[in-house]
């Protein structure tokens, strides 16, 4: 029976200006012919029924009719477009949908529909047995009233910029999953250099092993929730506009016998007399509104909280969220608000002793143009106490090869212009020192599988972040690795995002600025354009007397030298916050460290050294650097970096070609 993959469903965007592959399945030995846009080809299906036809490059535009005919008289037609196709892959900050950013980017949802901006969203699945040839669940959607909310935020803004710049259809392959480490996007062969990853893989291999491990962990979570009075644990496996989880059996039981106390929100519960608490709380607040707000629709924002909650207003259930990452943003329909007293009520389950309503997040009730602050004093009561932490679910889909086999492998026949990669958060632990090698290996793997030796990669460097993130060095090590790969691997660019994070949110809302940097870098790296975008890069390091001098240059992103970016005229450095340059630290190998003063003179930074000669100078080398961050005249920040001072002070080492070796980590510099 003649069949096409889901990637070639109606509405797909085919890569223009390069040969493309149309593929599918038919009866063994059946003849198959393909035509689109006056390009045609034919072939014979193999013994397994698979077939593929390569067509000459298409002209941008559409919709066009793709026609596939079999020798048995069967025929399939698809409405397709031709334009620019970008792979959008990584973990949650790539997957994060526009629905999560509606309050920040409300105007984007009132834009006219754009049927030429399209996303192919792959629904998560996993397999350790081998690569799949098609997706089980995936679909193309247009950027319109129904589809925009599902778009990746990064993909949406990047794609819209491309649409406006090139004027051709843009297709986004959204192949991403929250929480996924890099090894889940690689195959077994590419992981042979990483024995720890293969050791993890062996624990999940074998018929039914992974399913059993997953089911056992979920059963343990369910049992913990049942002890609180729930039927099961919440579903944490998807990003939904309205998370749904089981009703508490006695959630409407009278609460008159509870012991009520004051609590200041937002805050960590440990700072409010609840240190070590695990279990369920009820939180209440009375909000007084003037009579003219009665019956009007409204919007409630409560930030994020740990971990799962239901929220009511005047007895009306607004909804619930399942985990600490989902924003508690709720539409309030007309008729719910009263003039006078209005009662907000939450039931919040704290799975661990890190409960909170996240500090620094706004808590507001908006009625038209009026915004009422609902932070401050609330009342709380302990409903149920848990004696242990809630068991963690074993997310087997995050294990090595699991997502590569099911989500990525079916995309390989589909030609793409370039890949956008936003990932790294899940590798900032024990695997951080291996991240550079893992990333280089993954890039090589994907290029081989796509048969595109120079497939451009555009990488988002980790942004600043603090809450729930241990300050153990893993975050800056991964950031450094992402930068280094762009210096040593051809056709790779890394955009710095150190100013685009939120200290109190793993999922920062500032996605548009990151997408713009990706877009500007793509114009240079992918299309060879010359534009005004420049990245400040460390060019030279000198030790002059008792000071370290760092010289920076603004550089373009260009294709494929493999030896760094060409120099352009330097611009004077500044700081993003207008303060003196900060975030410099001297470090000694014995574990000592001391903050360092720094001054700026044009494109040069001078850092006086302490009396005891340090081993290393570091800049922005922590999870959430935020003081005096360096930037160029365009406001593009300098990447975190570290320089080995001991190596700089050694006598020059002569290399075979007579050049000296630079003594730095993470930047190519000269003495």
């Amino acid at each position: 029976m003649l069949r096409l993959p889901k990637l070639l469903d109606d509405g797909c965007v085919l890569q223009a200006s390069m040969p493309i592959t149309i593929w599918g399945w038919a009866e063994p030995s059946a003849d198959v012919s393909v035509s689109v846009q006056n390009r045609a080809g034919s072939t014979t299906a193999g013994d397994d029924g698979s077939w593929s036809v390569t067509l000459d490059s298409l002209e941008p535009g559409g919709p066009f009719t793709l026609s596939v005919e079999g020798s048995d008289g069967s025929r399939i037609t698809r409405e397709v477009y031709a334009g620019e196709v970008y792979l959008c892959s990584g973990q949650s900050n790539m997957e994060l949908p526009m629905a999560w950013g509606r309050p920040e980017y409300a105007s984007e949802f009132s834009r006219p529909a754009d049927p030429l901006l399209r996303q192919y969203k792959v629904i998560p699945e996993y397999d350790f047995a081998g690569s799949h040839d098609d997706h089980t669940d995936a679909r193309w959607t247009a950027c319109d009233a129904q589809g925009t909310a599902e778009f990746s935020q990064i993909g949406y803004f990047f794609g819209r910029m491309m649409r406006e710049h090139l004027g051709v259809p843009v297709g986004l392959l959204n192949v991403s999953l929250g929480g996924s480490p890099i090894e889940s996007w690689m195959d077994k062969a590419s992981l042979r250099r990483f024995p720890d990853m293969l050791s993890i893989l062996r624990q999940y291999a074998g018929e039914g092993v992974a399913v059993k491990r997953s089911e056992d962990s979920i059963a343990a979570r369910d049992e913990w929730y049942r002890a609180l009075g729930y039927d099961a644990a919440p579903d944490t496996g998807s990003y939904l506009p309205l998370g749904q989880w089981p009703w508490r059996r006695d959630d409407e039981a009278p609460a008159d016998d509870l012991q009520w106390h004051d609590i200041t929100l937002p805050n960590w519960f440990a700072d409010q007399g609840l240190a070590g608490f695990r279990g369920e709380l009820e939180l209440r607040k009375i909000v007084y509104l003037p009579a003219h707000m009665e019956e009007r629709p409204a919007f409630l924002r409560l930030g994020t909280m740990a971990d799962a909650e239901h929220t009511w207003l005047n007895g009306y259930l607004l909804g619930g969220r399942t985990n600490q990452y989902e924003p508690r943003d709720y539409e309030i329909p007309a008729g719910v608000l009263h003039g006078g007293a209005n009662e907000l009520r939450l039931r919040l389950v704290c799975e661990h002793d890190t409960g909170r309503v996240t500090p620094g997040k706004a808590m507001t009730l908006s009625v038209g143009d009026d915004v009422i602050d609902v932070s401050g004093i609330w009342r709380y009561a302990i409903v149920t106490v848990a004696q242990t932490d809630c068991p963690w679910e074993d997310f087997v889909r995050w294990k090595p090869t699991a997502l590569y086999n099911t989500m990525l492998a079916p995309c390989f026949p589909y030609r793409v212009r370039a890949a956008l990669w936003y990932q790294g958060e899940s590798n900032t632990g024990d695997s951080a020192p291996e991240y550079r090698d893992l990333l280089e290996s993954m890039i090589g793997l994907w290029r081989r599988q796509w048969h595109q030796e120079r497939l451009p990669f555009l990488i988002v460097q980790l942004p600043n972040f603090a809450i729930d993130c241990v300050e153990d060095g893993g975050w800056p090590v991964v950031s450094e690795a992402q930068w280094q790969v762009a210096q040593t691997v051809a056709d790779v660019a890394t955009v710095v995002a150190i100013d685009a994070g939120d200290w109190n949110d793993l999922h920062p809302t500032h996605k548009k600025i990151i997408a713009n940097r990706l877009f500007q870098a793509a114009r240079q790296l992918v299309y060879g354009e010359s534009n005004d975008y420049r990245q400040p890069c460390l060019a030279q390091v000198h030790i002059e007397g008792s000071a370290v001098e760092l010289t920076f240059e603004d550089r373009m992103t260009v294709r494929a030298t493999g030896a760094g970016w060409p120099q352009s005229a330097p611009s004077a450095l500044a700081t993003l916050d207008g303060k003196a340059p900060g975030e410099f630290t001297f470090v000694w190998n014995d574990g000592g460290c001391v903050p360092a003063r720094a001054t700026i003179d044009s494109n040069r930074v001078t850092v006086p050294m302490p009396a005891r000669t340090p081993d290393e100078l570091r800049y922005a080398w922590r999870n959430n650097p935020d003081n005096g961050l360096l930037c160029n005249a365009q406001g593009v920040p300098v990447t975190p970096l570290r320089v080995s001072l001991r190596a700089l002070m050694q006598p020059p080492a002569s290399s075979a070609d007579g050049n000296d070796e630079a003594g730095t980590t993470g930047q190519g510099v000269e003495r």
Side-chain angles (χ1 to χ4, degrees):
M1 185 67 178
L2 193 62
R3 181 168 66 89
L4 294 177
K6 290 187 180 296
L7 265 164
L8 295 175
D9 277 350
D10 280 323
C12 69
V13 180
L14 302 172
Q15 178 61 51
S17 307
M18 61 176 67
I20 61 166
T21 298
I22 305 297
W23 77 102
W25 300 268
E27 293 295 328
S29 302
D31 294 328
V32 179
S33 60
V34 175
S35 64
V36 61
Q37 206 187 84
N38 299 319
R39 278 72 165 172
S42 60
T43 189
T44 301
D47 293 341
D48 62 353
S50 65
W51 56 267
S52 67
V53 173
T54 299
L55 300 179
D56 292 339
S57 60
L58 304 178
E59 295 297 322
F64 307 111
T65 298
L66 169 66
S67 178
V68 182
E69 298 184 15
S71 55
D72 60 357
S74 57
R75 184 171 184 262
I76 297 175
T77 61
R78 294 284 189 265
E79 184 180 84
V80 305
Y81 300 81
E84 295 299 286
V85 181
Y86 279 82
L87 175 71
C88 303
S89 192
Q91 58 182 105
S92 55
N93 275 308
M94 179 60 81
E95 184 185 19
L96 206 70
M98 284 296 292
W100 276 35
R102 188 184 293 268
E104 284 75 23
Y105 298 113
S107 63
E108 300 299 328
F109 291 85
S110 60
R111 284 179 172 272
D114 184 359
L116 301 186
L117 176 57
R118 311 186 70 83
Q119 175 183 261
Y120 179 77
K121 172 60 177 172
V122 179
I123 305 305
E125 59 178 325
Y126 70 90
D127 192 353
F128 300 102
S131 297
H132 291 202
D133 56 15
D134 198 5
H135 295 119
T136 301
D137 192 1
R139 62 173 182 155
W140 283 97
T141 55
C143 183
D144 56 23
Q146 291 73 42
T148 298
E150 300 177 13
F151 271 59
S152 153
Q153 288 186 28
I154 289 288
Y156 168 83
F157 288 115
F158 178 86
R160 191 162 64 75
M161 293 171 193
M162 276 293 171
R163 283 277 300 119
E164 294 174 356
H165 182 63
L166 299 176
V168 303
V170 172
L172 307 167
L173 307 188
N174 186 350
V175 187
S176 57
L177 179 63
S180 57
I182 190 172
E183 61 268 19
S184 65
W185 299 105
M186 300 169 67
D187 71 353
K188 187 175 181 179
S190 64
L191 291 173
R192 286 176 183 155
R193 294 169 47 203
F194 309 98
D196 290 345
M197 303 300 180
L198 292 182
S199 176
I200 295 171
L201 177 59
R202 284 191 289 270
Q203 298 174 37
Y204 292 84
E207 177 117 13
V209 173
V211 172
K212 177 71 163 51
R213 292 184 66 129
S214 176
E215 290 177 345
D216 287 350
S217 70
I218 292 172
R221 292 195 76 225
D222 288 348
E223 184 60 33
W224 189 89
Y225 266 86
R226 276 193 288 272
L228 296 184
Y230 287 87
D231 293 328
D235 174 17
T236 59
S238 62
Y239 298 129
L240 299 173
L242 175 62
Q244 296 181 352
W245 56 301
W247 292 93
R248 196 178 195 280
R249 291 191 294 271
D250 61 347
D251 66 336
E252 292 296 342
D256 295 341
D257 59 342
L258 297 178
Q259 299 296 311
W260 292 91
H261 312 274
D262 286 349
I263 188 170
T264 302
L265 301 179
N267 220 322
W268 281 276
F269 293 162
D271 295 337
Q272 299 285 297
L274 289 167
F277 174 78
R278 293 159 300 203
E280 186 172 29
L281 297 175
E282 181 157 324
L283 300 161
R284 293 187 177 186
K285 185 179 182 68
I286 301 297
V287 181
Y288 294 94
L289 301 177
H292 75 269
M293 294 184 181
E294 188 166 1
E295 304 286 320
R296 295 180 61 186
F299 187 71
L300 178 67
R301 306 198 74 182
L302 297 177
T304 59
M305 55 190 72
D307 289 284
E309 120 299 340
H310 275 117
T311 297
W312 291 262
L313 178 58
N314 294 332
Y316 178 88
L317 177 66
L318 298 177
R321 300 291 188 257
T322 63
N323 57 70
Q324 64 178 314
Y325 302 113
E326 293 182 272
R328 273 60 177 187
D329 293 336
Y330 295 117
E331 300 280 353
I332 301 171
V336 174
L337 292 182
H338 306 324
N342 293 261
E343 183 186 55
L344 275 169
R345 175 181 170 226
L346 283 72
R347 281 289 183 96
L348 175 64
V349 175
C350 302
E351 297 180 351
H352 309 279
D353 61 359
T354 53
R356 65 169 185 261
V357 174
T358 305
K361 292 286 186 180
M363 302 179 72
T364 59
L365 176 65
S366 299
V367 188
D369 294 332
D370 296 312
V371 180
I372 297 93
D373 185 0
V374 299
S375 65
I377 302 298
W378 286 56
R379 299 281 284 169
Y380 83 90
I382 295 174
V383 179
T384 310
V385 175
Q387 300 303 316
T388 62
D389 283 345
C390 179
W392 296 101
E393 180 180 346
D394 188 346
F395 290 99
V396 299
R397 56 186 176 271
W398 293 344
K399 306 308 176 186
T401 77
L403 305 180
Y404 172 91
N405 287 333
T406 57
M407 297 179 67
L408 192 68
C411 299
F412 292 141
Y414 202 82
R415 183 74 72 166
V416 299
R417 179 66 77 184
L420 309 182
W421 177 250
Y422 193 161
Q423 192 278 335
E425 299 93 330
S426 290
N427 287 95
T428 56
D430 293 341
S431 62
E434 293 185 302
Y435 192 81
R436 178 179 177 178
D437 290 339
L438 284 162
L439 184 54
E440 288 182 352
S441 181
M442 188 198 77
I443 291 171
L445 168 67
W446 289 17
R447 287 174 168 174
R448 290 191 301 273
Q449 297 292 43
W450 256 288
H451 302 289
Q452 292 179 241
E453 181 181 354
R454 295 183 60 179
L455 177 68
F457 267 76
L458 295 151
I459 299 168
V460 179
Q461 192 180 52
L462 289 182
N464 51 306
F465 175 59
I467 200 168
D468 301 324
C469 188
V470 177
E471 195 74 61
D472 60 0
W475 198 269
V477 165
V478 170
S479 295
E480 178 187 61
Q482 293 167 327
W483 181 261
Q484 289 172 328
V485 168
Q487 313 308 304
T488 58
V489 179
D491 303 307
V492 176
T494 297
V495 299
V496 179
I498 197 172
D499 59 333
D502 289 324
W503 73 268
N504 60 355
D505 201 330
L506 183 63
H507 306 114
T509 58
H510 317 293
K511 293 294 192 291
K512 192 172 183 178
I513 187 174
I514 295 175
N516 182 62
R517 288 175 185 166
L518 288 170
F519 166 67
Q520 300 297 344
R523 289 179 60 190
Q524 297 175 1
L525 179 69
V526 179
Y527 301 103
E529 297 180 17
S530 178
N531 58 17
D532 293 334
Y533 179 76
R534 299 292 187 273
Q535 173 66 54
C537 300
L538 180 60
Q540 295 183 26
V541 179
H542 295 278
I543 295 180
E544 295 290 341
S546 60
V548 182
E549 290 190 354
L550 308 155
T551 302
F552 292 83
E553 293 171 349
D554 283 353
R555 296 175 178 174
M556 291 179 61
T557 304
V558 298
R559 284 210 80 173
T561 64
W565 296 325
Q567 177 180 346
S568 61
S571 67
L573 293 172
T575 60
L576 290 170
D577 57 12
K579 299 178 181 178
E583 300 294 343
F584 283 94
T585 305
F586 286 115
V587 179
W588 287 264
N589 290 339
D590 61 10
C593 63
V594 63
R597 294 183 299 105
T599 57
I600 296 173
D601 181 11
S602 186
N603 64 324
R604 187 171 63 251
V605 176
T606 301
V607 189
M609 287 203 296
R612 182 165 72 105
T613 302
D615 295 288
E616 195 170 78
L617 174 63
R618 296 179 177 181
Y619 164 72
W621 201 260
R622 61 189 183 96
N623 299 352
N624 187 47
D626 60 356
N627 178 42
L629 294 176
L630 299 173
C631 65
N632 65 7
Q634 297 175 312
V636 180
V638 170
T639 180
L641 59 89
R642 53 181 170 171
V643 177
S644 172
L645 301 178
R646 291 289 183 183
L648 284 173
M649 290 184 287
Q650 297 300 319
S654 298
S655 60
D657 60 2
N659 293 325
D660 291 341
E661 297 178 359
T664 71
T665 302
Q667 301 267 346
V669 302
E670 302 171 4
R671 274 194 294 277

